[in-house]
Amino acid sequence: MVEPMKTPHKVVIVGGGFAGLYAAKALGKSGFDVTLVDKRNFHLFQPLLYQVATGTLSPADISSPLRAILNRQKNTRVLMGEVIDLDPQQQKIILRNGELAYDSLIVATGVSHHYFGNDNWAEVAPGLKTVEDALEMRRRIFLAFEAAEKETDPEKRRAWLTFAIAGGGPTGVELAGAIAELAYSTLKRDFRNIDTKETQILLIEGMDRILPPYDPKLSAQAAHSLERLGVTIKTKTLVTNVTEDAVTIRQGENIESIPARTVLWAAGVKASSMGEAIAQRTGAQLDRAGRVIVEPDLSLANYSNIFIIGDLANYSHQDDKPLPGVAPVAMQEGQYVAELIQRRLQGQAVTPFRYVDIASLAVIGRNAAVVDLRFVKFSGLFAWLIWLFVHIYYLIEFDNKLVVIFQWGWNYFTRKRGARLITGEESLLQLGIDENGDYYAPSGDRANVVTTHT
Amino acid sequence: MVEPMKTPHKVVIVGGGFAGLYAAKALGKSGFDVTLVDKRNFHLFQPLLYQVATGTLSPADISSPLRAILNRQKNTRVLMGEVIDLDPQQQKIILRNGELAYDSLIVATGVSHHYFGNDNWAEVAPGLKTVEDALEMRRRIFLAFEAAEKETDPEKRRAWLTFAIAGGGPTGVELAGAIAELAYSTLKRDFRNIDTKETQILLIEGMDRILPPYDPKLSAQAAHSLERLGVTIKTKTLVTNVTEDAVTIRQGENIESIPARTVLWAAGVKASSMGEAIAQRTGAQLDRAGRVIVEPDLSLANYSNIFIIGDLANYSHQDDKPLPGVAPVAMQEGQYVAELIQRRLQGQAVTPFRYVDIASLAVIGRNAAVVDLRFVKFSGLFAWLIWLFVHIYYLIEFDNKLVVIFQWGWNYFTRKRGARLITGEESLLQLGIDENGDYYAPSGDRANVVTTHT
C-alpha cells in the first residue's frame, strides 16, 4: 500500500556498517523518514582494521563519523544508541533507553568473533572487530618486542618473539603478512638485545589450505608469498587451547604446545545478539553461527517488512553455500533492500537478491596480494595494485580518507610505521634492570644477565 | 677527568620529551654509553595535543616511536621503564623493576596538570598532558553534542552545549578556538534536534588578560580573534568549584555557578614526582610548583653530575622570571647539557645556559594566530602561516609526520575533521527514545518531547 504523503514511511536501520550505511545512503532520495541507529558514532572500514592493529594506520584513518556521511540527507537521522530487542507485532525496536517505531526494519548488526565455546580464550587471544580490539592487538604486538628486548632467558624470549595467528582467512593472512614485515623490516634496527629477525610467525588454519573460500591456485600462491616473507603455515591444524604463554595445536593425532606470548584470533565468527532476539520474536531460523536465515528478498518468512542484511544474514543462492561475510555482499544487500522497499510501496515487482561477485582480494604484504576476478586469477605486484586501488576507491567514497593514500605512500617508500605507539592501560614490563642497564629475570638471578655493551 | 676508552662515560636520560630527546640526539656522536628511559615507547609532540583532543589529528600523527628516532645512534639504548627514585651517592636511578648506574644523569620528566589542591576535579575536568588525556577530552567533547541532541529539557541541553575551559594560556586559547570551529562550522549540519551554533564556549583566566606571558598587544588581538569566533572570555576570574554539571567562578566579589557538562582543565601544572625524589635525595630546592631550582649550568648545587632540564627545571636568567615550560626552552636545555658534559670531560670551560628566545606563538583558529618575534609582534593570517611553518618544521624533524601537513591541508579546504570517533569505555547516553524516535527525559515525562519530523 502507498502511504499518504503527510506521514512518510518510517525506515529504521540498525547498524552503521557497510550493509546499514549503504541502505541508508540508497534511501537518501526516497522521501522516507529514515533513522540509522548505531552504538558508535562512526562507520568503520573494517577491511583495513588489521593495518591499525599492526601500526600502519590510526583508527581515525579508517573511520568516518556517521553524522558527517549522512548530514546532507535531510530525511535521515542518526541516533547513537544500543538496540537490545524488537517487537514485530507493534513494529518497534527496543533500545536500552527507549524504543523506536518502524514501518520497515533493516537489521545489520553484523557478527563478533567466536571462540568455539572457549570464551576464556578471549582474554589471551584478542579478535579483530572493533577499534578497541585493534588497539589492543597493537599494544600486545609492540609490547611483545619490548618484553623480548628485556627478557634474558632464551626460552622465554623466544616465546615473546613467537606470534600465533589462529585462522587462515583474509584477516589471518593479512595479519601474518603485516607482522612479518614489522619484524623482518620495520623494527630490525630498533632493538639492542634482540634480533627481531628471529621472530616466529605461525598461521594456523583448520582446512587443508589458507584462504579456503578462494581458488586453490590462489591459496597456493598466497601460501608461497607468506612463506617467502618468513611466515610458518600450519594447515589441517586446530587450536585446542590458548594460555597466557602457549598455544596448543592438533594436527591429526599429533598434539603440540608451542610457547607463544602473543596469540591473535582470526578464526570463527558468531552472529551479534540481535540474531537471538529476532529468532525469539519472529520464529526466524538461525544457522550454526547464529546468523538469520532469510528469504530470497532478504526479508523474514513471517515478517516481510523486516530485513536482515550484511554478516548477520545467512542467504544462499540456489544450491550454493551461504554468501561470505565480506563488504561487497553487505553493500549490495543494503542497496538491494533500499530499492526493494521503494518498489514495493510503488506496487512494483521485485526480483530475488543476487550477489554480483566481481572479485575476491587478499593482501599478503608489500607488493604481494591475490586477486580472483573469476575470469582471471593472479597474484603478485599487479594483484597488489588492484587491492590498493579497490580499497582506496571505497575508502575515499566518504571522502575524508585521502590521507590514507598519503600514509601508505609514505610507509611504502620509507618502510616506516607511523602508528606504533603503545597506549591505553599503562603496562610496565615485569623484568628487572640491573645497575649496568642490563636486564635480569625477576627471580633476581644475575647469572643469566645479557650485556648489551659493545 | 677523561675516561679511559674501554668504559665509556655512562649518561642516563630520564624522559623522552623535547628536553630528554634533544639531549639524547645531541649525544649521538659523543662516544658515551647513552640510555634513554621512558614509561612510553614514543615521543609526543605535545604542542599539537589539543588537535587530537578536538578531532583534527590522531595520536599517531603527533607521536614518534623513540626507538625509531634513535635507532641509528649505535651508542644509544632505549629502555621502556618507570623511574621512581635515585641514589646520588651510588650514582644509580631506581626503576620500578630494577636500577641503572650513571656517570651523568639528566632528568627531564616534565610536569603534569595541577588542580590547586582540588584533585577531585580531575574526575570532571580532564587536563591535557598525555595521549589518553586527549582521547578522553575528545570523547567528552563529542559525547556532549550527542547528549545535547538527545536532551529535551532546554536547561539541560544548554548545559551540554556549554564548554568551560579553565586557563587562558596557549593550551586554553587553542582549545577554545578549536571547539569554536567544531561547533560553529564543522558540526553545524550534523544534528537534527540541536543547533550547534547555540554552543557556549567560556575561556576562564585568573589574570587580567589571556596569554599572560605574551605582549599585552598580542593578548588583546588574541582575545579579539577568539571573541569573533564566538568564545566568551572571562579574565580576572577564578574557578572555585567544578562538578559534573556546573563550574563555579569568582570574579572579584561576584560568584557565579554556570551549568556546564564539559569543563576542560588548562590551568595549573605541577612537577612530576621525580622532583620530590630529587629534593629528598640531593637537598635540592623546589619552587611552589615543585620544579627543581637548578644552577646556571642546569646541574644541582650538590651534585654537578645531575642535570634537570625541561619543564621540571626552574631556571631564571639573572633578575628574570623562570623560563616558561615550552618546547624551545626544553630543546635548547637538552642540547646545552649534552654539549656541557662533553666539554667538561675534555676539561673545557662552560658558560651558563642562556635561552635564546626567538618567538612566542599561539594559534587561535583558521587563519588566526599571534606571533611575537620580539623585534616585531603581529597576528592574523601571516602569524598563522608562521605558526603552521614552525610546527611542521619541528614535527617533520622526526620525519614520519608529513601526513599531518596533508591532513591539515585537507581539513583546511574541506573544513572537515577526520578524527571525530568516540572510542574507549562504551558510554551509552542515558536519555530515552520514544516510539517516534523522539527523545524524552528518563523521568519518562512525555510532555516535553521534541519532535524532529519536518
Side-chain angles (χ1 to χ4, degrees), chain B residues 152-431:
Chain B
T152 52
D153 173 333
E155 290 303 307
K156 290 183 184 159
R157 173 181 287 185
R158 191 172 176 71
W160 278 117
L161 289 178
T162 303
F163 296 82
I165 298 151
T171 301
V173 165
E174 288 165 342
L175 279 173
I179 293 172
E181 290 191 335
L182 259 186
Y184 305 138
S185 165
T186 310
L187 298 179
K188 65 174 188 289
R189 261 200 230 82
D190 284 8
F191 294 89
R192 298 290 177 261
N193 300 348
I194 58 170
D195 178 357
T196 61
K197 297 201 210 60
E198 290 167 7
T199 301
Q200 266 205 318
I201 301 156
L202 304 174
L203 182 59
I204 301 159
E205 167 59 42
M207 314 281 255
D208 61 345
R209 58 192 177 95
I210 59 170
L211 299 176
Y214 290 49
D215 180 272
K217 183 156 145 289
L218 291 179
S219 295
Q221 287 167 333
H224 177 67
S225 309
L226 280 174
E227 277 155 356
R228 271 221 328 275
L229 269 176
V231 175
T232 308
I233 298 172
K234 291 180 176 293
T235 52
K236 295 190 194 145
T237 304
L238 299 171
V239 172
T240 57
N241 193 26
V242 186
T243 66
E244 204 190 24
D245 48 20
V247 55
T248 309
I249 57 176
R250 184 164 63 73
Q251 191 170 31
E253 291 318 298
N254 159 15
I255 292 175
E256 185 184 5
S257 172
I258 300 167
R261 296 301 301 253
T262 312
V263 181
L264 306 178
W265 194 257
V269 295
K270 186 166 100 280
S272 54
S273 55
M274 272 304 277
E276 292 286 317
I278 290 163
Q280 281 181 26
R281 304 298 178 207
T282 70
Q285 297 299 311
L286 303 182
D287 69 12
R288 267 175 47 257
R291 290 173 302 189
V292 181
I293 294 163
V294 294
E295 297 296 293
D297 66 356
L298 308 179
S299 69
L300 297 180
N302 310 342
Y303 294 92
S304 62
N305 67 333
I306 299 179
F307 303 87
I308 317 297
I309 59 175
D311 292 0
L312 182 60
N314 174 325
Y315 174 61
S316 316
H317 296 147
Q318 248 158 1
D319 51 79
D320 203 354
K321 56 174 144 46
L323 293 174
V326 295
V329 173
M331 296 174 184
Q332 290 179 31
E333 288 180 343
Q335 287 161 332
Y336 169 85
V337 167
E339 177 71 20
L340 175 144
I341 296 170
Q342 296 175 77
R343 295 179 65 89
R344 264 206 205 152
L345 288 179
Q346 290 148 15
Q348 300 174 26
V350 287
T351 56
F353 173 71
R354 265 205 100 58
Y355 171 49
V356 184
D357 182 358
I358 306 117
S360 314
L361 312 171
V363 71
I364 288 126
R366 190 180 175 78
N367 302 350
V370 292
V371 170
D372 184 344
L373 298 176
R374 307 298 161 243
F375 63 92
V376 52
K377 311 174 191 333
F378 51 95
S379 65
L381 175 60
F382 186 55
W384 182 73
L385 291 173
I386 288 179
W387 178 89
L388 211 59
F389 173 80
V390 169
H391 282 73
I392 286 170
Y393 175 85
Y394 283 109
L395 197 58
I396 66 180
E397 192 175 9
F398 310 136
D399 81 8
N400 62 343
K401 299 305 171 225
L402 286 171
V403 66
V404 172
I405 305 169
F406 191 93
Q407 185 77 61
W408 280 349
W410 183 253
N411 295 339
Y412 181 85
F413 292 110
T414 62
R415 293 169 177 268
K416 291 201 165 136
R417 301 286 178 108
R420 281 161 48 186
L421 52 165
I422 299 167
T423 54
E425 158 213 334
E426 255 332 317
S427 43
L428 290 160
L429 306 170
Q430 286 317 304
L431 280 144

Side-chain angles (χ1 to χ4, degrees), chain B residues 149-152 157 193 434 437-439 447-452:
Chain B
E149 171 83 352
K150 288 193 174 187
E151 180 58 73
T152 52
R157 173 181 287 185
N193 300 348
D434 76 7
D438 299 327
Y439 298 104
N448 63 0
V449 165
V450 282
T451 175
T452 59

Side-chain angles (χ1 to χ4, degrees), chain A residues 10 33 39-42 58-60 63 65 67-68 70-74 76-77 79-82 92 95-101 131-132 143 146 149-150 189-192 399-403 406-407 410 416 418-424 426 428-440 452-453, chain B residues 10 33 39-42 58-60 63 65 67-68 70-74 76-77 79-82 92 95-101 131-132 143 146 149-150 189-192 399-403 406-407 410 416 418-424 426 428-440 452-453:
Chain A
K10 274 190 195 164
D33 170 8
K39 278 194 299 190
R40 315 305 298 266
N41 72 326
F42 57 91
S58 293
S63 308
R67 294 192 184 281
L70 296 169
N71 66 8
R72 278 183 174 68
Q73 266 180 229
K74 292 279 162 273
T76 306
R77 280 182 306 161
L79 288 191
M80 204 176 148
E82 186 177 23
K92 286 180 185 177
L95 292 94
R96 191 172 292 289
N97 317 304
E99 51 194 28
L100 187 51
V131 163
E132 288 75 12
L143 272 178
E146 294 292 335
E149 171 82 350
K150 288 193 174 186
R189 261 200 229 81
D190 284 8
F191 295 89
R192 297 291 178 261
D399 80 10
N400 60 344
K401 299 304 170 225
L402 286 171
V403 67
F406 192 91
Q407 185 77 60
W410 183 253
K416 291 204 165 129
R420 281 162 47 185
L421 52 166
I422 298 167
T423 54
E426 255 331 316
L428 290 160
L429 306 171
Q430 287 318 304
L431 281 146
I433 297 166
D434 76 6
E435 62 279 7
N436 299 317
D438 298 327
Y439 298 104
Y440 60 90
T452 59
H453 305 298
Chain B
K10 273 189 195 166
D33 171 9
K39 276 194 299 191
R40 313 307 298 266
N41 73 325
F42 56 92
S58 292
S63 307
R67 294 190 184 282
L70 297 169
N71 65 9
R72 279 185 173 68
Q73 266 179 230
K74 293 279 162 270
T76 307
R77 278 182 308 163
L79 287 191
M80 202 176 152
E82 187 177 21
K92 285 179 187 179
L95 292 95
R96 190 171 294 290
N97 317 304
E99 52 192 27
L100 187 51
V131 163
E132 287 75 12
L143 273 178
E146 294 291 335
E149 171 83 352
K150 288 193 174 187
R189 261 200 230 82
D190 284 8
F191 294 89
R192 298 290 177 261
D399 81 8
N400 62 343
K401 299 305 171 225
L402 286 171
V403 66
F406 191 93
Q407 185 77 61
W410 183 253
K416 291 201 165 136
R420 281 161 48 186
L421 52 165
I422 299 167
T423 54
E426 255 332 317
L428 290 160
L429 306 170
Q430 286 317 304
L431 280 144
I433 297 167
D434 76 7
E435 62 279 7
N436 299 317
D438 299 327
Y439 298 104
Y440 61 90
T452 59
H453 304 300

Side-chain angles (χ1 to χ4, degrees), chain A residues 46-288:
Chain A
Q46 230 149 7
L48 291 177
L49 200 52
Y50 81 96
Q51 294 207 356
V52 174
T54 51
T56 300
L57 295 177
S58 293
D61 297 337
I62 60 165
S63 308
S64 306
L66 287 167
R67 294 192 184 281
I69 297 169
L70 296 169
N71 66 8
R72 278 183 174 68
Q73 266 180 229
K74 292 279 162 273
N75 71 325
T76 306
R77 280 182 306 161
V78 174
L79 288 191
M80 204 176 148
E82 186 177 23
V83 177
I84 53 177
D85 202 353
L86 74 164
D87 179 343
Q89 283 78 22
Q90 301 293 315
Q91 300 197 167
K92 286 180 185 177
I93 57 164
I94 316 302
L95 292 94
R96 191 172 292 289
N97 317 304
E99 51 194 28
L100 187 51
Y102 61 82
D103 298 315
S104 298
L105 174 64
I106 302 172
V107 181
T109 49
V111 294
S112 59
H113 23 79
H114 182 37
Y115 293 88
F116 307 121
N118 306 283
D119 294 351
N120 54 314
W121 295 358
E123 284 296 300
V124 280
L128 189 61
K129 279 287 167 198
T130 67
V131 163
E132 288 75 12
D133 292 339
L135 293 178
E136 173 61 13
M137 268 199 189
R138 180 196 288 178
R139 200 176 64 78
R140 286 173 185 241
I141 290 166
F142 289 102
L143 272 178
F145 289 105
E146 294 292 335
E149 171 82 350
K150 288 193 174 186
E151 180 56 73
T152 51
D153 173 332
E155 289 304 305
K156 290 183 183 159
R157 172 182 287 184
R158 189 170 178 72
W160 278 117
L161 289 178
T162 303
F163 296 82
I165 297 151
T171 302
V173 165
E174 289 165 343
L175 279 173
I179 293 172
E181 290 190 336
L182 259 186
Y184 305 137
S185 165
T186 310
L187 299 179
K188 64 174 188 287
R189 261 200 229 81
D190 284 8
F191 295 89
R192 297 291 178 261
N193 300 349
I194 58 170
D195 178 357
T196 60
K197 298 202 210 61
E198 290 167 6
T199 301
Q200 264 206 318
I201 301 156
L202 302 175
L203 183 60
I204 301 159
E205 167 58 42
M207 313 282 253
D208 61 346
R209 58 192 176 96
I210 59 170
L211 299 175
Y214 291 48
D215 180 90
K217 184 159 143 287
L218 290 179
S219 295
Q221 287 166 334
H224 178 66
S225 307
L226 281 174
E227 278 155 356
R228 270 220 329 274
L229 269 176
V231 174
T232 308
I233 298 172
K234 292 181 176 293
T235 51
K236 295 190 194 148
T237 305
L238 299 170
V239 172
T240 57
N241 193 26
V242 186
T243 66
E244 203 190 26
D245 48 21
V247 57
T248 309
I249 57 176
R250 183 164 64 72
Q251 193 169 29
E253 292 318 297
N254 161 14
I255 293 175
E256 184 184 6
S257 171
I258 300 167
R261 296 302 300 253
T262 312
V263 181
L264 306 177
W265 194 257
V269 295
K270 187 167 99 282
S272 54
S273 55
M274 270 305 276
E276 292 285 316
I278 290 163
Q280 280 179 28
R281 304 297 178 207
T282 69
Q285 297 298 311
L286 304 182
D287 68 12
R288 268 174 48 257

